[in-house]
Amino acid sequence: MLDKAEDIHPLFRGAPKSTEFKKLRKRIVQQTREAIEQYGMIEPGGKWLVCLSGGKDSYTLLAVLYELKWRGLLPVELLACNLDQGQPGFPATVLPKFLEEHEVAHRIEYQDTYSIVMDKVPEGRTFCALCSRLRRGNLYRIAREEGCTAVVLGHHRDDILETFFMNLFHGGRLATMPPKLVNEEGDLFLYRPLAHVAEVDCEKFARSLEYPIIPCDLCGSQDGLQRQQVKQILDGWEKNSPGRRQVMFRALMNTRPSHLLDAGLFDFKGLERRDAAAPAADELPPLFR
């Protein structure tokens, strides 16, 4: 790792010198670089709108992308963006101050989507779906205004696993957050470079660097949400069988359509069998092949 003060980005000033942190940093950087390369996220002349919520995941995303860029491994322009959605109690000065002090190019946008969500969502229902759609629409608009080619989010491995099980348990489909997709209009990519990174590593990383973490419950999200229930299930499996999360995550990258039931994904009707009594083609005399 780069250790000299003049050799690191300001986001890493004051980083712990411990071997444990260096291994953590190296692991996150390697996993992020792996995802970027595996899913083809880099394009010539790219400019990324890096979404910063103030949570541990988005801080980790921002720092790691700047490290990769600092090392010459990420030839794209980075612009950090925080969308202040008007939640009561949101500390509006924290992120602008942090980004300025750490010399990060940024844009702060205020859009009171909180009031819209509170007005439209019936009492007792969860806010997340509508809030997410409004947030995503504003981020795409900002990306266009800034000439960006991609919107970059801090979803990690555990977010992807939780979404898979939410779709399995409640949506009746096998689907999750893809590391890379194109928006409906077709003019912007959406990337998740932390797709291979564990949530616990994001938490250790952000807290080790003492980033000013903003809690994610400012909107008053209800206890017992489906995602929290799924997280508890996964936590239980992981506790009883350490490493279970990573095994399940690998399964998402190792699907076998012929061993599932989706006839739109695999041509079951087109399967043919060979009569056991009939000779194989290579067993026929040349004249009959």
Side-chain angles (χ1 to χ4, degrees):
M1 286 295 174
L2 303 175
D3 293 319
K4 296 181 181 179
E6 64 272 18
D7 286 340
I8 62 173
H9 189 273
L11 284 166
F12 286 92
R13 289 174 184 162
K17 303 293 185 182
S18 66
T19 300
E20 181 182 4
F21 177 78
K22 290 180 180 179
K23 289 181 177 179
L24 171 67
R25 178 177 171 181
K26 181 179 180 180
R27 179 167 64 250
I28 294 176
V29 169
Q30 287 181 338
Q31 290 172 339
T32 303
R33 183 184 179 189
E34 178 184 71
I36 289 173
E37 293 180 351
Q38 181 175 354
Y39 299 107
M41 297 183 188
I42 297 177
E43 58 178 334
K47 182 177 181 180
W48 290 7
L49 188 76
V50 183
C51 301
L52 187 67
S53 66
K56 63 185 186 307
D57 312 326
S58 62
Y59 277 124
T60 301
L61 172 69
L62 182 70
V64 172
L65 293 182
Y66 264 92
E67 168 139 349
L68 288 171
K69 184 174 176 61
W70 193 261
R71 291 168 173 270
L73 300 174
L74 187 63
V76 300
E77 185 179 348
L78 301 176
L79 177 66
C81 176
N82 171 249
L83 178 63
D84 181 346
Q85 296 181 262
Q87 297 103 323
F90 184 78
T93 61
V94 170
L95 288 173
K97 180 181 178 182
F98 173 84
L99 294 167
E100 290 168 6
E101 289 179 347
H102 291 81
E103 302 174 27
V104 175
H106 63 277
R107 172 170 169 174
I108 306 296
E109 179 86 4
Y110 177 80
Q111 292 289 333
D112 185 9
T113 62
Y114 175 81
S115 296
I116 298 174
V117 171
M118 294 300 292
D119 179 62
K120 299 295 184 183
V121 177
E123 185 176 354
R125 300 291 295 275
T126 61
F127 308 140
C128 301
L130 178 57
C131 181
S132 177
R133 288 198 299 271
L134 293 172
R135 179 172 63 250
R136 191 70 55 83
N138 276 291
L139 291 172
Y140 286 155
R141 171 183 56 80
I142 295 167
R144 295 184 186 103
E145 292 173 358
E146 295 291 344
C148 295
T149 56
V151 172
V152 186
L153 305 177
H155 295 127
H156 45 64
R157 181 201 69 181
D158 297 76
D159 288 324
I160 292 173
L161 268 179
E162 289 163 15
T163 301
F164 172 80
F165 281 103
M166 286 174 65
N167 282 319
L168 177 66
F169 295 155
H170 303 288
R173 61 184 179 274
L174 298 181
T176 188
M177 300 171 172
K180 175 183 180 181
L181 59 81
V182 178
N183 67 335
E184 292 182 359
E185 294 79 5
D187 63 332
L188 290 168
F189 283 115
L190 189 145
Y191 296 148
R192 296 182 173 96
L194 298 184
H196 294 174
V197 179
E199 180 177 18
V200 65
D201 281 351
C202 291
E203 183 169 5
K204 290 178 182 177
F205 183 86
R207 293 195 182 280
S208 294
L209 285 161
E210 299 182 349
Y211 291 150
I213 297 173
I214 299 172
C216 62
D217 59 355
L218 294 172
C219 64
S221 55
Q222 304 92 325
D223 291 334
L225 295 176
Q226 293 175 352
R227 185 171 292 275
Q228 290 302 319
Q229 294 172 350
V230 168
K231 184 184 289 288
Q232 291 171 7
I233 291 172
L234 296 180
D235 286 344
W237 289 347
E238 184 71 21
K239 181 179 180 180
N240 293 329
S241 182
R244 179 66 59 84
R245 270 190 169 95
Q246 186 59 24
V247 172
M248 291 187 292
F249 182 76
R250 286 205 306 269
L252 294 179
M253 298 187 289
N254 187 28
T255 57
R256 297 185 180 182
S258 64
H259 286 56
L260 296 173
L261 282 77
D262 190 341
L265 198 62
F266 184 81
D267 184 14
F268 291 99
K269 290 184 177 180
L271 281 177
E272 297 181 356
R273 68 177 182 83
R274 182 171 62 87
D275 190 331
D282 57 359
E283 297 174 353
L284 294 171
L287 183 63
F288 294 97
R289 290 180 188 172

